[in-house]
Amino acid sequence: MAERDDVGTVPGTVRGAGGLVALEGAVAVTVAIVLVVRGLLGHDQSQASGYGTAAWFVILGGAVLAAGVGLLLGHRWGRAIAVIAQLLLLPVVWSLLTDSHQPFYGALLGVVVVGALVLLFTPATSRWMAREYGIDTD
């Protein structure tokens, strides 16, 4: 079983999803850096632990970033992590749109999440994944 296809055989849908997922991961890692800097500068952290939240963002954001880069490079393992991340972000989108009263951020994140999910489940992406198992879908 080949873990990686030749560069020319990876569909654009996979690379597009990889780009969106890598963007999500990069944003999460950036948030972690901001939280650490804020903590080091002594900002009030009475409502939430900046360092603990930063660690959470580094771990999850790093995994999502790795999945996005993996998809961009044509590694199939990135799709599973990417799909799970998108499904976990759907309730965040809903919360931003409703209870949090942040419709701009909710709509922006929703477009990215739904766009990534669509790209991850297009027929071209599914055929690309099926080739790993010797399934000829043509």
Side-chain angles (χ1 to χ4, degrees):
M1 284 191 236
E3 184 177 322
R4 185 181 173 289
D5 277 336
D6 294 331
V7 174
T9 62
V10 179
T13 55
V14 173
R15 293 191 189 282
L20 291 175
V21 172
L23 174 67
E24 292 170 356
V27 168
V29 171
T30 301
V31 167
I33 293 168
V34 168
L35 290 171
V36 168
V37 169
R38 284 178 48 87
L40 292 173
L41 293 175
H43 287 276
D44 181 32
Q45 296 187 25
S46 60
Q47 292 186 6
S49 169
Y51 297 121
T53 305
W56 185 251
F57 271 86
V58 164
I59 293 167
L60 293 179
V64 172
L65 179 60
V69 171
L71 287 172
L72 285 170
L73 296 175
H75 296 285
R76 287 181 172 86
W77 57 262
R79 184 176 185 241
I81 298 169
V83 168
I84 291 169
Q86 303 320 296
L87 293 177
L88 290 174
L89 282 171
L90 285 174
V92 175
V93 169
W94 181 256
S95 177
L96 287 170
L97 289 171
T98 58
D99 299 335
S100 297
H101 306 293
Q102 298 289 328
F104 174 75
Y105 295 116
L108 184 62
L109 181 60
V111 167
V112 173
V113 168
V114 171
L117 278 171
V118 166
L119 291 171
L120 289 166
F121 285 103
T122 60
T125 303
S126 296
R127 283 192 298 273
W128 176 73
M129 288 296 294
R131 283 199 306 259
E132 171 79 9
Y133 303 101
I135 300 171
D136 185 20
T137 58
D138 294 327

